[in-house]
């Protein structure tokens, strides 16, 4: 969401933080943010940042709820 997008901007493109913050004050802000990222050639970096943040949040939730994670197995097809 908005906070994650602002965190990404703060870390990767801090000079553009205010501009991104303004994007999230309008309708269709997430779409506008992704278009803005595309114009900055940062869309792939955003997807990686977002995926890592989701993974970290899921790990934290599991830890808080005493759920043991089983390591992912990669098949060799």
């Amino acid at each position: 969401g908005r906070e994650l997008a602002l965190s990404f901007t703060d870390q990767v493109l801090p000079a553009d933080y205010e501009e991104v913050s303004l994007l999230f004050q309008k309708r269709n802000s997430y779409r506008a943010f992704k278009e803005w990222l595309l114009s900055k050639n940062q869309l792939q970096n955003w997807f990686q940042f977002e995926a890592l943040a989701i993974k970290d949040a899921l790990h934290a939730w599991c830890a808080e709820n005493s759920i043991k994670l089983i390591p992912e197995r990669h098949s060799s097809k």
Side-chain angles (χ1 to χ4, degrees):
R2 176 184 184 274
E3 294 304 316
L4 188 61
L6 291 174
S7 178
F8 173 82
T9 305
D10 190 42
Q11 291 177 38
V12 179
L13 300 160
D16 297 318
Y17 185 90
E18 194 63 36
E19 180 181 354
V20 171
S21 181
L22 291 173
L23 286 177
F24 282 94
Q25 295 177 9
K26 300 175 184 174
R27 290 185 67 156
N28 300 314
S29 57
Y30 191 70
R31 184 180 69 188
F33 175 64
K34 290 200 316 187
E35 289 172 359
W36 179 85
L37 287 168
L38 189 58
S39 77
K40 296 288 188 174
N41 200 30
Q42 291 292 323
L43 192 57
Q44 190 60 41
N45 290 337
W46 162 252
F47 288 139
Q48 292 171 349
F49 183 87
E50 183 182 40
L52 183 59
I54 290 168
K55 182 179 177 182
D56 289 347
L58 288 171
H59 280 259
W61 183 86
C62 287
E64 290 170 11
N65 290 281
S66 302
I67 297 172
K68 184 179 179 184
L69 291 172
I70 299 171
E72 190 177 335
R73 282 207 236 163
H74 298 282
S75 63
S76 55
K77 291 185 179 180

